[in-house]
Amino acid sequence: MDANAIADAGEPTIPADLPLRNDLIGEEPYGAPQLDVPVCLNVNENPYAPKADVVNSIAERIREAAATVNRYPDREHEELRQAFCTYLKRESDANLQPNQVWGANGSNEIMLQLFMAFGGPGRTALAPAPTYSMYPEYARDTFTQWQTVPRNDDFTVNVGATIDAIKSVGPAMVVLTSPNNPTGTALPMEDLKLILEACQDAAVTGAQPGTHPIVVVDEAYVEFRDPGTPSAVTLVNDYHHLAVSRTMSKAFAFAGSRVGYVAAAPGIIDCLRIVRMPYHLSAITQAAALAAFDHTDEQLAEVDHLRDIRQQTAAWLEQQTYKGQPLRVMPSQSNFLLFGGNLDERELIFEQMLERGVLIRVVGPDGWLRVCMGTDQEMARFREALVESLRAVEQLCGYTAQ
């Protein structure tokens, strides 16, 4: 193999004579750093591993599925779709039927299918920003134009500006994230309804006359919201152009299984069925997900505790300072916190944290860092490392406390 084809980091480079799409030249794969450090608080996982009985149930379900892997899986994953409905009724009191839900390999695939079905050349997807950094990549991969509307200073959605943009841009998709990533900001139901109603009459540029935008609400972290807060899935029966994306990766402690799903009107589900790959959910994936739903209580057992840790950590962060100024902490309904606001050397702080064995995330607007909630022991180490790192960077910058 040509030594020039291997990058210094050990990852393959792309030879110049490969006909990579012109718009992909110079692009890099999306992904947070995967580093072997003692405390990983950068990808918003549930830090608590499944209990032994859950592991045994998963193994048993997979063992049964393995006996028939010479055959293709259930293409429509009917049993799993019923399990999604049962869970959404329990979790959000949403009354849905199996033809109103659809599963895929993580909510990432759900979102990509939505972009494949409703985006494309001549179409636009619109979203309040900052938001999840993967959305522009879905747009790029499907030749969809990506356009954003600035959020308010507190990272809430500027509803008026968003509705104005819907009218002027004519997007095929309006993508809303609640709780938002990376800010943790929730979207109030009354604001969502205003946007939904605006889309009912809005035109779609590049589409057939008489078509209107769909509204996609990404609820990847919704189980971490404060108790009593409604979910957008309760509106699915009222708005046929609403699609609500969910995942089992976060609160459900199932990130390694890659199972996401969407709740929407049957018409939207049928659009996704057009673009899905044949047999996209393996028999093994379906078996593992069904086993997890058999143990819903156990899988969600730590959500309340992680919510408490979030509140405690937010209160602690607000007491910390950098260069004499208190840190800002954004109100969060997720399992992570965006903090700082004044971290002019956030890359240095990140590196100092990493040297101390704690991996967090450089993401979002300049001056901010994000940390997801870990175990009690991991969060104790985070607090120690952050204080040490802030002081170390101050010293490197020549800052002297007054």
Side-chain angles (χ1 to χ4, degrees):
M1 180 180 293
D2 185 351
N4 293 327
I6 303 296
D8 291 340
E11 296 182 356
T13 59
I14 300 173
D17 63 350
L18 291 180
L20 181 67
R21 270 174 32 195
N22 291 343
D23 62 309
L24 297 180
I25 294 174
E27 295 284 350
E28 296 182 357
Y30 171 86
Q34 288 185 304
L35 303 174
D36 185 15
V37 297
V39 180
C40 292
L41 303 174
N42 69 323
V43 288
N44 306 337
E45 299 158 321
N46 187 323
Y48 295 99
K51 301 293 192 295
D53 60 337
V54 181
V55 173
N56 291 336
S57 290
I58 292 172
E60 178 58 26
R61 282 267 196 175
I62 291 176
R63 189 193 68 79
E64 293 174 2
T68 60
V69 292
N70 59 308
R71 303 294 186 183
Y72 284 114
D74 175 9
R75 185 173 53 227
E76 301 299 316
H77 51 285
E78 295 286 356
E79 186 178 2
L80 183 55
R81 290 165 80 178
Q82 181 59 62
F84 292 145
C85 292
T86 301
Y87 173 70
L88 290 174
K89 172 61 179 176
R90 168 183 170 160
E91 195 276 332
S92 294
D93 197 26
N95 296 301
L96 302 174
Q97 300 301 313
N99 66 346
Q100 293 176 285
V101 292
W102 180 253
N105 293 284
S107 59
N108 296 107
E109 187 177 28
I110 289 292
M111 293 301 300
L112 181 60
Q113 289 180 351
L114 286 162
F115 273 78
M116 291 170 64
F118 299 102
R123 303 285 186 91
T124 300
L126 177 75
T131 193
Y132 183 35
S133 56
M134 191 67 196
Y135 297 150
E137 300 200 17
Y138 302 138
R140 176 201 68 194
D141 294 345
T142 57
F143 301 98
T144 306
Q145 183 178 349
W146 176 250
Q147 189 160 331
T148 60
V149 180
R151 289 175 175 262
N152 296 317
D153 290 341
D154 62 357
F155 298 129
T156 56
V157 171
N158 186 326
V159 176
T162 300
I163 291 175
D164 288 344
I166 291 168
K167 295 176 180 178
S168 62
V169 172
M173 302 170 60
V174 178
V175 182
L176 307 169
T177 314
S178 184
N180 187 45
N181 182 6
T183 65
T185 316
L187 177 66
M189 292 286 275
E190 55 268 27
D191 290 351
L192 172 58
K193 289 178 181 178
L194 289 172
I195 294 171
L196 283 164
E197 288 160 10
C199 286
Q200 287 180 325
D201 299 321
V204 175
T205 301
Q208 296 283 347
T211 59
H212 307 291
I214 70 161
V215 177
V216 178
V217 181
D218 186 345
E219 288 193 338
Y221 301 93
V222 73
E223 284 95 345
F224 294 105
R225 69 194 186 280
D226 290 339
T229 304
S231 161
V233 295
T234 60
L235 299 179
V236 165
N237 288 323
D238 299 325
Y239 296 93
H240 77 280
H241 60 306
L242 169 64
V244 184
S245 175
R246 290 279 195 111
T247 183
M248 296 179 72
S249 294
K250 307 302 181 180
F252 224 86
F254 218 51
S257 69
R258 309 305 299 127
V259 179
Y261 56 105
V262 63
I268 290 180
I269 300 302
D270 282 345
C271 292
L272 301 188
R273 292 175 64 244
I274 292 173
V275 300
R276 62 105 172 97
M277 296 296 288
Y279 309 105
H280 69 295
L281 272 180
S282 76
I284 302 302
T285 298
Q286 294 182 46
L290 289 167
F293 277 126
D294 288 340
H295 295 271
T296 296
D297 287 340
E298 294 95 324
Q299 291 300 90
L300 297 175
E302 301 294 345
V303 168
D304 288 344
H305 183 57
L306 289 168
R307 193 183 295 117
D308 290 342
I309 291 175
R310 180 191 72 205
Q311 298 303 102
Q312 295 164 12
T313 303
W316 179 84
L317 283 167
E318 289 173 343
Q319 301 303 312
Q320 307 311 305
T321 62
Y322 173 70
K323 294 185 177 180
Q325 299 297 316
L327 301 182
R328 291 176 61 194
V329 185
M330 297 314 302
S332 176
Q333 293 283 294
S334 63
N335 68 330
F336 56 81
L337 292 167
L338 190 73
F339 67 94
N342 59 341
L343 303 176
D344 56 353
E345 298 287 353
R346 66 175 181 172
E347 294 280 357
L348 274 178
I349 297 169
F350 169 84
E351 292 169 5
Q352 289 289 324
M353 294 285 287
L354 193 56
E355 288 181 10
R356 290 164 173 80
V358 178
L359 180 60
I360 56 175
R361 188 77 183 269
V362 178
V363 69
D366 289 342
W368 297 86
L369 290 168
R370 192 191 71 192
V371 60
C372 73
M373 301 302 101
T375 65
D376 292 353
Q377 295 79 10
E378 288 172 336
M379 297 312 295
R381 183 62 195 129
F382 162 76
R383 293 190 294 271
E384 294 171 358
L386 182 62
V387 171
E388 293 171 3
S389 298
L390 292 175
R391 302 292 84 81
V393 172
E394 288 174 345
Q395 186 174 8
L396 289 169
C397 294
Y399 171 79
T400 302
Q402 302 299 315

